[in-house]
Amino acid sequence: MTHKGRIISAVALTALGLGLTACNDGEDSSAAQESPSASAPASSDPTTSESPSADPSDDAPAPAGGDVAAPGTELKIGDRAILPFKYGTEKKGTVAVTVTAIEKGAEADMAAFGAKAKGMTPYYIRMKVENVGGTDLAYSSLRLRGKLEGGAPTGVILIGDLPGKCDNESAPREFTTKGASYETCSLSATKTDPIAAASFEEGDAYSDSPVIWTS
């Protein structure tokens, strides 16, 4: 099911039920430019409401089917990376992520985010997520971030999706056994150079040295 979210910024507006804000994409303020972000209304469905972020855990179950990707690992689109995963305070395990595409959208796709999204080009990071450890990860959610060529941040953080174009799906109820999988999409956007990579940077081990997929 689709997990609704928001795009973050320092100034809150509303347009078509979405709010915009500006942020530094988690980078040092001296290096990252101020950028827009937006938010979607929270859902009353507990399985689609905003949820805690996912972070790798030191005590996650041992992986099966390969070694965990080390921080800083560089991959190509289509490659599979096994990653430690934690969601909220109780769900933890090991997943495999395969980035299947980074697709460029049209500026018009961002119209729902209002005037602050003018000049933004969206990119759709499509991926397959597999349950490798066999633990209960039902209804968890995983996101990747877009990066410019060379690994620079986009300057824009989007927490949300564009229905019908890039739907951020939560794991299904059955995502509790080894081999279970689902497909999802992470929305990213830029006002400058094209997005050329996707990164996994959740948790202390990967925040400064993410796993990167490039074309």
Side-chain angles (χ1 to χ4, degrees):
M1 65 178 44
T2 302
H3 175 82
K4 300 297 181 182
R6 63 176 177 277
I7 303 175
I8 304 169
S9 83
V11 180
L13 302 176
T14 57
L16 301 180
L18 298 172
L20 264 78
T21 54
C23 63
N24 290 334
D25 194 22
E27 301 292 329
D28 187 325
S29 60
S30 63
Q33 41 181 270
E34 186 181 39
S35 357
S37 52
S39 65
S43 167
S44 58
D45 183 339
T47 64
T48 60
S49 59
E50 185 177 317
S51 317
S53 60
D55 295 305
S57 170
D58 292 338
D59 57 352
D67 295 330
V68 167
T73 297
E74 296 183 4
L75 303 167
K76 294 295 185 181
I77 300 298
D79 288 344
R80 179 176 181 265
I82 297 177
L83 299 163
F85 183 74
K86 181 180 179 182
Y87 187 77
T89 58
E90 297 180 356
K91 292 183 182 289
K92 61 185 67 175
T94 308
V95 298
V97 177
T98 304
V99 176
T100 57
I102 300 176
E103 299 176 358
K104 181 181 179 180
E107 181 180 337
D109 296 344
M110 298 293 290
F113 292 127
K116 282 223 170 212
K118 186 177 181 180
M120 281 189 184
T121 300
Y123 285 77
Y124 310 138
I125 302 170
R126 306 194 188 280
M127 74 194 90
K128 177 182 178 180
V129 184
E130 304 169 62
N131 189 331
V132 174
T135 57
D136 182 358
L137 297 174
Y139 306 121
S140 60
S141 180
L142 184 149
R143 288 180 180 273
L144 301 180
R145 287 191 179 186
K147 295 291 184 181
L148 307 182
E149 187 173 358
T154 64
V156 178
I157 295 179
L158 303 177
I159 303 177
D161 54 13
L162 289 175
K165 295 184 180 293
C166 185
D167 294 294
N168 183 246
E169 303 287 347
S170 297
R173 180 192 307 177
E174 299 80 15
F175 200 62
T176 59
T177 58
K178 180 180 176 182
S181 67
Y182 70 101
E183 295 183 358
T184 186
C185 180
S186 288
L187 175 64
S188 192
T190 175
K191 294 188 77 170
T192 56
D193 297 330
I195 289 176
S199 71
F200 174 85
E201 48 193 77
E202 299 292 344
D204 293 340
Y206 296 93
S207 59
D208 294 327
S209 189
V211 173
I212 298 285
W213 287 263
T214 58
S215 57

